[in-house]
Amino acid sequence: ILEIPREIVLKLAKNRSAMIDDLKTLFRHRILQNALARVPLFSQLTPENRRKIVKHFKPVRAKHGTILMREGESGDSMYFIAAGEVGVYTSLTEAEDGGTTDTDSDQLLLATLKIGDFFGEQALVTNNPRSATVIALTDVALLQFSKPDLEAVIKEHPWIESEIQVEAFENLMRKNLSILNQLVSS
C-alpha cells in the first residue's frame, strides 16, 4: 500500500495538473470496476476482462433536476452512478396521447439510486420503451454504456447477453412489485 499525505498531493497538484487528471481517471476506473463486480451480468468476468470493458464507458455529467430518461421513450444506453443520487419514478396515469404525465402528483418514487448503482439496462436488451423516469436528485457523474458498446462486449463474451436479459427481467419484476407494495400501503 502506498500512502501519500494530502498536503503532498495538494502541492503536487499545483505543479503537475496532469497527475491529478491521472488520479481522477484511476479513481473513476476503480469505482467502475468495483461496480461492475457487483452487477450480475459483469460479475462473472475476470478482473482483467472487467478492465477491458471499462474502456467502453463514457463519462456524463448532469445537474440536479435533470431528467436523464423518460418513461415510455426508447433508449440505447445504461448508466452507472459514479457520484450523486438519482430518483427512479413511474407514472400512475397515462396521458391521452399515450405518453406519460409529468406532474409530481402523478409520479411514484420507486427507488433512490446512489454511487455504484446502475439503471437503464432494459433498453439495451429488450428494445422496449423505458419503464421508468430517472431524475438527478443531486448533481451526478455517470458512466454511460451504449448498445454499440454492448455489442462489442458480447462479441468477446457471448454469454453476457443472456445474463443481461435475466437482469432486465428481474428489474422489471422488482419495479412491478414496488408499485404494488406502494399502492397497497396507500
Side-chain angles (χ1 to χ4, degrees):
I1 296 174
L2 174 64
E3 182 179 345
I4 303 172
R6 178 184 166 101
E7 301 80 34
I8 293 175
V9 171
L10 292 174
K11 284 180 185 178
L12 289 170
K14 288 181 183 178
N15 298 329
R16 295 180 175 88
S17 61
M19 183 186 82
I20 295 302
D21 291 339
D22 290 343
L23 286 173
K24 286 180 182 177
T25 299
L26 178 66
F27 179 69
R28 182 173 51 106
H29 282 225
R30 175 134 332 159
I31 286 176
L32 184 55
Q33 286 179 34
N34 290 337
L36 286 175
R38 292 192 327 255
V39 176
L41 61 120
F42 297 119
S43 64
Q44 295 180 20
L45 292 175
T46 65
E48 180 183 331
N49 285 332
R50 281 196 297 269
R51 278 192 294 279
K52 291 177 185 175
I53 290 174
V54 166
K55 68 182 178 189
H56 294 283
F57 288 82
K58 294 157 193 71
V60 175
R61 293 197 173 275
K63 296 282 187 194
H64 170 264
T66 301
I67 297 174
L68 302 167
M69 61 181 62
R70 285 189 193 274
E71 185 175 0
E73 292 183 349
S74 63
D76 67 350
S77 296
M78 72 178 290
Y79 299 87
F80 283 85
I81 302 172
E85 295 183 1
V86 302
V88 181
Y89 299 86
T90 190
S91 177
L92 295 175
T93 59
E94 291 188 17
E96 290 179 17
D97 64 358
T100 59
T101 59
D102 288 328
T103 63
D104 290 340
S105 63
D106 292 330
Q107 295 291 315
L108 177 67
L109 177 65
L110 297 175
T112 300
L113 304 178
K114 301 176 182 185
I115 294 173
D117 290 331
F118 61 97
F119 58 93
E121 73 284 355
Q122 290 184 24
L124 292 180
V125 181
T126 65
N127 292 322
N128 290 339
R130 298 282 191 193
S131 63
T133 296
V134 179
I135 301 172
L137 299 177
T138 64
D139 289 353
V140 292
L142 305 167
L143 297 166
Q144 181 184 32
F145 188 69
S146 67
K147 279 189 181 185
D149 298 321
L150 177 63
E151 290 166 4
V153 169
I154 287 174
K155 280 184 181 178
E156 292 178 34
H157 309 283
W159 55 268
I160 287 180
E161 186 171 23
S162 62
E163 289 288 327
I164 292 173
Q165 290 172 343
V166 168
E167 183 69 20
F169 177 76
E170 288 175 354
N171 281 345
L172 181 59
M173 293 299 104
R174 279 192 290 273
K175 174 194 172 200
N176 291 339
L177 183 60
S178 177
I179 291 169
L180 286 174
N181 287 336
Q182 290 188 32
L183 290 176
V184 168
S185 66
S186 296

